[in-house]
Amino acid sequence: MDGQLTHTAPSLVARVKGILFSPVAEWARIATEDTSSSQVSGRYVVPLALIGPVAGVIGSQVFGGAAMGLRYYSSVTGAITVGFVSFVLTIVTYALLTLIADLLAPRFGGDLSPERASKLIAYGSTPVWICGIFALVPMLSILGVLGLYSIYLIYLGATPMLNVPREKAGVFTAVLVLCGLALNFVVASVTVSATVFFASMGLFG
């Protein structure tokens, strides 16, 4: 990207709107920004990653929750504890996917760039994190399927962010998504295990 003008990142709301509704133009803008991965993490990843856990805490207090076929109502302490575990695991998943994307890119003709890989995963994961709001109402959890839009966003961002050739971007995205599914399976398992553990400690009813 030598010779291009650099820009600072817009506000969180403007970035979410841009990446969701005009992703091609937004990825082009992101590719010219001089923000660091730590800035992206603090200003974008953390606020959006909190949506699901916070919604889950509120939803569990209003509607209760379910784990391993059992319906339960948690104490505030129990709900916050599980929400915290969920948040930490979300951040860990983001960090691991960033590492995987960075290591995969050269294998598909792209560049090795941890900072740009972090932006690809951060902004590409926007739909998944936004869909966390559906945890407020368990009956709406099926709408979480809208998070699959992230796959398309990562596909669009692979070339401008990591210089993966367009003809290889599809395969790169597919491999990355498979890795993401494996990580999410582990995260879901750990979250359920944590819920059951805390239930055994008397934090849930």
Side-chain angles (χ1 to χ4, degrees), residues 60-86:
S60 69
Q61 295 301 292
V62 177
F63 299 100
M68 298 182 72
L70 300 176
R71 173 65 58 180
Y72 63 86
Y73 286 88
S74 65
S75 65
V76 174
T77 300
I80 292 176
T81 300
V82 172
F84 176 75
V85 171
S86 176

Side-chain angles (χ1 to χ4, degrees), residues 16 28 35 40 74 90 94 120-121 126-127 129 131 149 152 176:
V16 169
T35 50
V40 173
S74 65
T90 297
Y94 158 70
L120 175 67
I121 300 302
T126 300
W129 289 329
C131 284
Y149 184 45
Y152 180 62
L176 187 58

